[in-house]
Amino acid sequence: MVFTDYTFDSALANRVVSEKAGDRRPIFVTQNGTEITPTKFEEKVSATAAWLDAHGIVCGDRVAVWLPNKLEWMMLLFACARIGAIVAAVNTRYRTAELQHILKSSGAKMLIFEGRDGYTDFHTLISKLDFSVLPELEKLACVDMDGASLPPLNNIEINTFSPDASLGTSQVAGTADTPILLFTTSGTTNAPKLVMHNQRAVGIHANDCAKALGFDDDDARFLAVMPFCGVFGLNPTLAAIAGGAPVYLNTQFEIELLIRTVKDNAITHLFGSDEMYQQIWQRDKDAFAHAQICGFASFTPGLEEKLRQIAAKGVPLAGLYGASELFAIFSTQPLTLPIEQRLQGGGLPAGGASAEIRVRNTETGKLCAVNEVGVLEFRAPTNFIGYYRNEEATSKSIDEDGYFHSSDVGYLRDDGTFVYLARNGDFLRLSGFLTDPKEIEEVIEQNESVEKCQVVGIEVDGKTRPVAFVISSDPDQPPQEAELMATAKATLAHYKVPLHVIVIEAFPTTESANGLKIQKAKLRDQAVSYSKSNLTQ
């Protein structure tokens, strides 16, 4: 375990010691194949900490990092941890309004950004900020081009991120109790909260995951493909560092690049979305030849059967659970479980007995028995500190016993694992029964005319009624509501039959660190409007 005192400095120091003792595995391998040894990375971190110090960043300052999965992201994270600064992680897909919210909420003193990538000119997006509401933002720095070539913004000169050992050394101010990370919540609102973690929680979780998931095996190799700006990308990376497994960096998600990296380097550990695994399987089944665990989160409706088929062929797919407040890969379904069970979200917490989970019936307020569905609550030494500068939201989410109330629906199994079913707001209580909308969606998706289906609930005459939205498999032959309703009536209990089936071109989505998420709230609004218009006709 390399986070010996639960600080980033201890993690790096232990990797350097292991290297000197004969462990020749690199800590990172860049996209072009360059191996970065622990000693070399330590030098880069020291130079980065000195650069931050030279630019006036001190303990407690917030540094917004707006970068893809580059080595510089990790250099900045470890350097900020050393001097006691806090990284505010920014999604590279965000645009000006979302960036402004994070800068304002975090009170970031410095923003470090990429000049441009294949999709975005970041300097232009920054130029559109309303600097009048960002009084704490004093410094801007660019990592991949000469900052002097970029025009100043709001009278702030653009620095070039150029760590240099000649800048000297910085004072170590970070401790296990020092805050280190601010993540945005991954909900679908326009104003996500900022989740704050300290170094202790990060270190404990990295150690737990390294041991629980085999990152400490001698042949373990991890591909970092999910963005570092979210817990799903960052937590497995830190677990690999804790376990001694080399981290292979892909700065962008490109499926052919991913497959090539996996095959060329015998990658054993992969974490990503359900859609990612489907794409890999379709293109090159041999990519899984060395896989020991393929942890996934379900972001794409309608892929359940395809994943079951892939798992049946021997791919070690395992469902996960995570949240910004608890970290990603908080739990993983054991690979020893039958396929149907191990493809469910949830699983066994990496922290073992140190993580306590209970399920509450929100109507009665009582705790649920095993196999009884309710809202999940968590208490673990890796829980977040709170929402940054938002005491009201913090007090609503963490109770007096220290449990985080997740608003996620699930249940406990009798083997010590748990199952995550859906967000509480996505579950429907129909005729008094708590109903997973997937039950309805899967029935409707059996019709060949339907590519994907999403079901939401709306109130009609004092009762919650389901409404289905479908995307056509063939735009020239759209699904017929009468046909789909007939199938639903023949298959489902009467209260699960949709009130309406509405054909749309695409589901409304929002960008998160893990990819696009469907905005159920917007679908509910559309369903209400559709229902009202039909009543008046």
Side-chain angles (χ1 to χ4, degrees):
M1 302 304 169
V2 297
F3 283 81
T4 50
D5 63 3
Y6 307 124
T7 65
F8 281 71
D9 259 9
S10 71
L12 187 48
N14 278 286
R15 283 299 298 268
V16 171
V17 169
S18 296
E19 178 191 354
K20 292 179 178 178
D23 185 352
R24 301 306 178 194
R25 290 176 295 175
I27 189 169
F28 294 107
V29 181
T30 65
Q31 187 167 305
N32 65 10
T34 301
E35 294 189 353
I36 309 297
T37 66
T39 297
K40 186 66 175 177
F41 185 62
E42 155 62 29
E43 294 171 357
K44 291 179 178 293
V45 170
S46 294
T48 301
W51 181 88
L52 290 168
D53 185 60
H55 285 79
I57 301 301
V58 299
C59 184
D61 283 343
R62 280 77 61 206
V63 177
V65 177
W66 199 19
L67 300 173
N69 286 14
K70 290 187 170 183
L71 186 65
E72 288 86 349
W73 213 112
M74 284 293 140
M75 292 160 53
L76 285 161
L77 178 63
F78 276 76
C80 284
R82 179 168 297 181
I83 66 176
I86 306 169
V87 169
V90 186
N91 190 337
T92 55
R93 298 289 184 89
Y94 280 175
R95 294 299 178 257
T96 300
E98 297 156 313
L99 171 65
Q100 180 159 303
H101 172 74
I102 294 174
L103 294 175
K104 182 180 179 181
S105 299
S106 67
K109 184 176 183 178
M110 173 182 277
L111 170 62
I112 301 178
F113 63 96
E114 187 173 39
R116 61 176 61 91
D117 62 14
Y119 308 97
T120 305
D121 183 336
F122 294 93
H123 181 269
T124 297
L125 293 177
I126 297 169
S127 71
K128 298 177 181 178
L129 289 170
D130 179 1
F131 285 92
S132 68
V133 298
L134 302 174
E136 295 171 281
L137 183 61
E138 300 176 4
K139 301 175 185 296
L140 300 169
C142 186
V143 302
D144 63 345
M145 58 195 306
D146 182 5
S149 68
L150 297 171
L153 299 173
N154 194 46
N155 296 319
I156 302 174
E157 297 290 333
I158 312 296
N159 292 296
T160 301
F161 177 68
S162 53
D164 189 336
S166 66
L167 292 173
T169 59
S170 58
Q171 182 179 0
V172 177
T175 69
D177 294 316
T178 303
I180 177 56
L181 282 163
L182 297 177
F183 289 109
T184 54
T185 51
S186 58
T188 56
T189 64
N190 291 322
K193 299 182 288 291
L194 295 184
V195 177
M196 182 166 57
H197 289 282
N198 62 18
Q199 293 195 42
R200 183 188 308 278
V202 175
I204 292 174
H205 188 60
N207 286 349
D208 288 343
C209 292
K211 183 178 180 180
L213 301 177
F215 282 105
D216 54 358
D217 293 347
D218 290 341
D219 62 346
R221 297 178 182 85
F222 169 64
L223 173 59
V225 66
M226 300 299 289
F228 291 153
C229 60
V231 290
F232 201 14
L234 188 61
N235 291 140
T237 301
L238 297 176
I241 293 172
V247 176
Y248 291 78
L249 301 173
N250 276 183
T251 59
Q252 60 192 28
F253 181 84
E254 199 280 307
I255 194 64
E256 299 301 335
L257 170 64
L258 185 157
I259 291 173
R260 186 165 62 251
T261 306
V262 167
K263 294 181 69 174
D264 290 349
N265 300 286
I267 297 297
T268 60
H269 287 60
L270 269 173
F271 294 86
S273 68
D274 44 7
E275 174 66 20
M276 182 186 85
Y277 290 110
Q278 183 196 25
Q279 289 186 44
I280 297 172
W281 184 257
Q282 287 177 336
R283 284 170 170 78
D284 194 336
K285 297 176 176 58
D286 292 336
F288 296 106
H290 295 90
Q292 295 178 11
I293 183 168
C294 296
F296 76 94
S298 296
F299 298 137
T300 309
L303 289 185
E304 292 83 3
E305 180 56 35
K306 293 177 181 177
L307 289 182
R308 283 193 285 268
Q309 294 172 8
I310 295 172
K313 295 295 184 180
V315 177
L317 287 170
L320 308 169
Y321 179 79
S324 297
E325 293 87 349
L326 303 172
F327 292 130
I329 57 173
F330 172 84
S331 62
T332 308
Q333 296 289 6
L335 292 172
T336 54
L337 290 176
I339 288 177
E340 291 289 337
Q341 294 180 33
R342 68 176 167 91
L343 295 185
Q344 293 178 298
L348 187 68
S354 68
E356 300 171 84
I357 305 170
R358 63 190 187 189
V359 182
R360 188 176 299 279
N361 184 314
T362 55
E363 291 193 342
T364 66
K366 295 181 179 180
L367 293 181
C368 297
V370 170
N371 295 319
E372 182 183 350
V373 174
V375 175
L376 297 163
E377 300 174 0
F378 302 88
R379 183 170 64 184
T382 53
N383 279 22
F384 74 128
I385 302 171
Y387 297 112
Y388 189 65
R389 293 180 172 178
N390 196 336
E391 293 183 5
E392 180 181 357
T394 299
S395 63
K396 289 180 179 179
S397 296
I398 304 174
D399 66 23
E400 59 185 12
D401 295 323
Y403 278 86
F404 165 61
H405 292 224
S406 70
S407 296
D408 289 337
V409 173
Y411 60 90
L412 297 172
R413 294 189 184 123
D414 56 12
D415 62 357
T417 63
F418 74 98
V419 173
Y420 160 72
L421 295 172
R423 294 286 298 173
N424 188 27
D426 294 342
F427 249 63
L428 309 177
R429 187 168 290 279
L430 305 176
S431 294
F433 298 98
L434 203 59
T435 304
D436 186 347
K438 285 185 178 180
E439 297 178 39
I440 306 170
E441 293 163 2
E442 289 178 355
V443 168
I444 293 176
E445 286 171 352
Q446 290 175 5
N447 191 294
E448 293 183 354
S449 68
V450 176
E451 175 65 25
K452 294 178 181 178
C453 174
Q454 286 285 282
V455 171
V456 297
I458 63 173
E459 186 174 329
V460 178
D461 297 331
K463 295 182 179 180
T464 300
R465 297 291 303 277
V467 174
F469 287 86
V470 297
I471 295 175
S472 177
S473 299
D474 182 354
D476 295 329
Q477 296 181 329
Q480 299 300 307
E481 182 178 30
E483 180 182 345
L484 298 177
M485 293 285 279
T487 300
K489 290 177 180 178
T491 309
L492 297 167
H494 70 90
Y495 61 86
K496 296 180 184 178
V497 175
L499 179 66
H500 304 291
V501 178
I502 306 170
V503 181
I504 57 176
E505 293 184 359
F507 300 131
T509 59
T510 187
E511 185 72 49
S512 78
N514 302 320
L516 294 176
K517 291 193 173 184
I518 294 172
Q519 294 181 299
K520 290 290 188 79
K522 286 190 175 181
L523 287 179
R524 280 190 284 271
D525 290 343
Q526 290 182 38
V528 170
S529 297
Y530 184 90
S531 182
K532 287 181 178 179
S533 65
N534 274 265
L535 286 174
T536 58
Q537 292 177 359

